[in-house]
Structure formats: structure tokens, C-alpha cells
Amino acid sequence: MKKLFTLFLIVFAASAGYAQFSLEGQLRPRTELRNGFKKPILPGQEPALFTEQRSRLIAGFKAEKYGFKFSVQDVRIWGETGQINKSDQLLSTHEAYGEFYASKNSTFRIGRQEVIYDGHRLFGSLDWAAQGRSLDAIRYLYKDEKGNQFDMMASWNQTGYGDGAPEPAKLVGNSYVITSGGGTNTRIFNLGLPKAQAMAYYKKTFKSGDVAFMLLEDIYDVDATSGENYGNLTIGFTPNFKTEKLKFGGQVYYTGGTSGKTETNGSYEKTDLSGYMANAYIQFTNLSGTPLLGIDYLSGDDEETTDKVEGWAPKYGTNHKFYGFMDYFYVGNGHGGADAKSAGLLDIYLQTTFKLGEKGKLLGHLHYFSAPEARTNATSGQSYDGYLGTELDLVFNYALTKGVSLSAGYSQLFGISDTMKQLKFNDPATETGDMQCWGWLMIAFTPKFL
């Protein structure tokens, strides 16, 4: 028996050299008090109080030439399902992909997966949201020892299959209008899922920083008669540099092309796009709190122009990370008003991070928001632009033990301007509540079973 057990250990150890299995869990309930989240709360309105919970089970497998990952999650609001419940349809797959290692430096990844580039600016995992973000795609990933990274991604999206009609019509045709996430809105900040997508990314890392370039093409529709594609191209450039005492850099993105077709009097017309964003920052890594000063500029729509969309926002980014934690701008909204045109955004911000002992950390962010493009009130005819408001975000993180962490946050919006009221309510005379704030408390369990 002893010899058999020893043989088993030898075989297991040998196999472990070629394959590795991992199993992790995540339980993340978060309680929020919303008293002016996303838009100012009005006098007499009751704040929202709820607990949202994410539960994930993540399995991974890696062998010598291939790998596999599967992540299933349950996302729910406490109390939205009854106590005696058979099925709630809240279970879903977050990631499910396979990898083929073509060489030491080359990997093909196929399936549903998180896509993250350049600090979540254009592509991000949206991990703050309980459901997160993942895409269906095939990616080629290359990375070598000289600091070169080259990625390509492609996808073809479909609502069901065929044209959605009953059999046998499902055997032919394609649904070229994919409306999930954007409906029929043609504004660039709220487009639906593209029909087809192609991305190329290159990053060069060197001793003093890195430089990255991105090309992203989204095709939203195809003219059945002419076969012409309706889509747009995004070009991005991200430089980052560092010295012994400083980090500095920025990002520039431009999107041109069309957002697809809109039907007008029985005929189809396309909406032209021409939007951009620019970011610059400098961080003092030698100072207490490592303060970071930055500025973001997102182009807006000119009120006088109706045939082109100049407003811009990250298409698949984690916008919650950038434009204030109260999500007033570009998180499920286009920051535009009744006409759905973007007023753009100028965000000047200061970020700090302080360590509190061995296990604690305090983050502090201060934002100064303004709108570069004016919006005219339909009743008075008066235009409003400029200062919007000032937001303070505080986040405390504490590691209770290995695999368990506690987080708490508080945000408050000060100085709500008439321009903000015009954008959020289409009425600068709207009376808002005296206190605009948002608070939350979250505990995260992240066990590693294997």
C-alpha cells in the first residue's frame, strides 16, 4: 500500500509539471445609500438604500499547450427574489474561453473574456459594477522579453441566428442591427453592440515608460442593397513615462466614421461621427500620498451642427474610474440633455492615496467639472455652459485577513450649477436637495480553493 501511494505521488507530481488547475471564489455584497447618484436628488425625494451582491466561482486550467477559464456568477439585489424560490434567472457566465499556446510568446484566446487596455480607458472590465463587462471574441496575444506587446481581436455578433424568423428561415440571413446596450440611439456615447469588430494594439515598454497605439473598427450595419458598411474607426495613442520622482503621460483618442443607419421617411441615412478625447497627468511619487494632477477633455456636440456627432466617450471603458465615482457623466448616460447630444466634459482632478498602517489605505479624489459646449433652454432660449460642479470622493480599504477585505466610500457633489441642472433636468430653475451624496460599504471574500 505504501509503495502504491508513493507511485501515486510520483505520477501526480509528474503530471503537475504539465498541467495546473485552479479554483477561486468571490462573494461581494455592497450596500449603497444613493442621495443624488447620477443626477441631483430633488427636495422630498427619498434616498435609495439597497444591497447588491456578486457571487462568482472561477475555474482555470493550464497545460503545456493550452488553457481554459470558466467564470460563472450570480448577481442579485437582496430581496428581489422570494424566500421560497425555484429559479430567478440571475445566474450567468462572465467568462468562458480557451487558450492555445502557439509558442512561448504567442497565444490564441477564443470565447467570452474580459478585455482591458490602457488603464480601462477604451476597453475595461467594469469590475466596480456587480455584473462586470466581458466580450465574445477571438484574440491573438503576443508578448516578448524585449518589451513588445502586439494584440489583435475580432468578433462577429448576432442576435440569435439567421434573421430571427421561425424555421426554416433561420437557415439563411443575418441580423445586422444589434441593438443591445444602445437601442436606436445613434449618439456615439450610447451605441449598441457592433455587428463586427476588429482591433489591433501595440505597446512598447522600456526602462523609462511605455508607449501604446490602438486601432479599433466597429461595424454597426450593412446596406442590403449596396453592401456598404456603416461603421467607425477609433485611433488611440497612450504614452507613459517615469523618473525617480515623477510619473507623467496621457492619452489621445479620435473616432471618425458613421454610427450606422437611421430610417427617415422610408429611406436610410447615416450619422457621421467626429469625436475625440485627450488626457494628461503628472504624479509626484516621492511625496506623501503620491498626488496625481490630471485633466481630461472630452469633445461635445456643437448645438449648431445637426448632421454630425462630435461628442465622444469611451465605448467599452470603465468610466466609473475616471469621471467621479457618483457617475454623473458617461456611465449609462450621455451627459447631454433632452436632445441626447453630448455637451462634452472638462475634468480637472487631483488624486491621492495614503497608506494607513500595514493593512489600510485611504483614497481621495477631487474633481472640478465643466461643460465645454453650451446647451440652450427650450423655454427661455438662454444658453448654459461652463462650470457644472465639484465632487469629492473618499474610499477606505482595509484587509481584515488573507482573502477578506473591507471597503467603504463616501462621495459628495458641491456647487451644482444652472448648467448641470439644464443637462440633467432641461430646466436650470430646478430646485435640488441641500445634500447631494453617495455612500457605500462592501466586504469581499476571495478564497483560493485550489
Side-chain angles (χ1 to χ4, degrees), residues 18-21 60-64 66-68 99 101:
Y18 296 95
Q20 185 178 23
F21 177 73
F61 178 82
K62 282 194 174 183
E64 185 178 11
Y66 75 98
F68 174 82
E99 292 183 328
Y101 309 130

Side-chain angles (χ1 to χ4, degrees), residues 361-379:
K361 185 169 59 175
L362 178 64
L363 284 69
H365 294 183
L366 184 65
H367 294 265
Y368 177 93
F369 298 118
S370 62
E373 295 291 343
R375 285 296 170 266
T376 302
N377 182 263
T379 303

Side-chain angles (χ1 to χ4, degrees), residues 68-273:
F68 174 82
K69 184 177 181 180
F70 185 77
S71 173
V72 62
Q73 67 182 16
D74 176 276
V75 178
R76 64 180 60 240
I77 303 294
W78 281 14
E80 68 176 320
T81 55
Q83 296 181 3
I84 304 175
N85 183 61
K86 288 186 176 181
S87 176
D88 49 30
Q89 299 181 341
L90 298 176
L91 194 67
S92 64
T93 299
H94 178 62
E95 288 189 289
Y97 64 79
E99 292 183 328
F100 172 68
Y101 309 130
S103 69
K104 178 183 177 182
N105 301 322
S106 298
T107 298
F108 289 90
R109 181 176 296 173
I110 304 171
R112 190 161 188 86
Q113 56 195 277
E114 290 185 349
V115 179
I116 302 171
Y117 288 102
D118 297 333
H120 297 255
R121 181 74 71 171
L122 189 70
F123 282 98
S125 64
L126 197 61
D127 190 61
W128 168 258
Q131 70 277 12
R133 185 200 299 276
S134 54
L135 309 177
D136 300 308
I138 177 172
R139 291 165 71 192
Y140 170 73
L141 310 172
Y142 175 87
K143 197 170 186 178
D144 62 24
E145 298 78 8
K146 297 180 179 180
N148 295 297
Q149 177 185 346
F150 176 66
D151 298 353
M152 293 192 300
M153 181 174 69
S155 66
W156 177 266
N157 299 309
Q158 189 78 322
T159 53
Y161 60 92
D163 59 3
E167 298 286 2
K170 284 185 177 180
L171 300 176
V172 296
N174 285 281
S175 300
Y176 282 96
V177 181
I178 312 295
T179 59
S180 62
T184 58
N185 197 327
T186 59
R187 314 313 297 185
I188 191 172
F189 48 76
N190 197 28
L191 295 176
L193 194 66
K195 177 61 183 176
Q197 186 177 79
M199 184 273 293
Y201 177 84
Y202 175 75
K203 182 177 181 179
K204 176 66 175 180
T205 301
F206 38 89
K207 186 176 181 180
S208 59
D210 54 70
V211 177
F213 303 88
M214 176 178 286
L215 291 175
L216 171 67
E217 183 177 19
D218 286 334
I219 298 175
Y220 284 90
D221 209 347
V222 175
D223 191 305
T225 303
S226 66
E228 180 183 0
N229 295 331
Y230 294 83
N232 52 75
L233 179 68
T234 299
I235 303 172
F237 173 56
T238 304
N240 294 289
F241 304 96
K242 60 183 179 181
T243 65
E244 291 184 359
K245 299 181 179 180
L246 296 175
K247 289 183 179 180
F248 57 95
Q251 291 174 305
V252 179
Y253 286 98
Y254 172 80
T255 298
T258 64
S259 66
K261 301 184 297 183
T262 56
E263 189 172 0
T264 305
N265 299 324
S267 62
Y268 285 100
E269 299 178 359
K270 58 185 179 181
T271 304
D272 292 328
L273 305 177

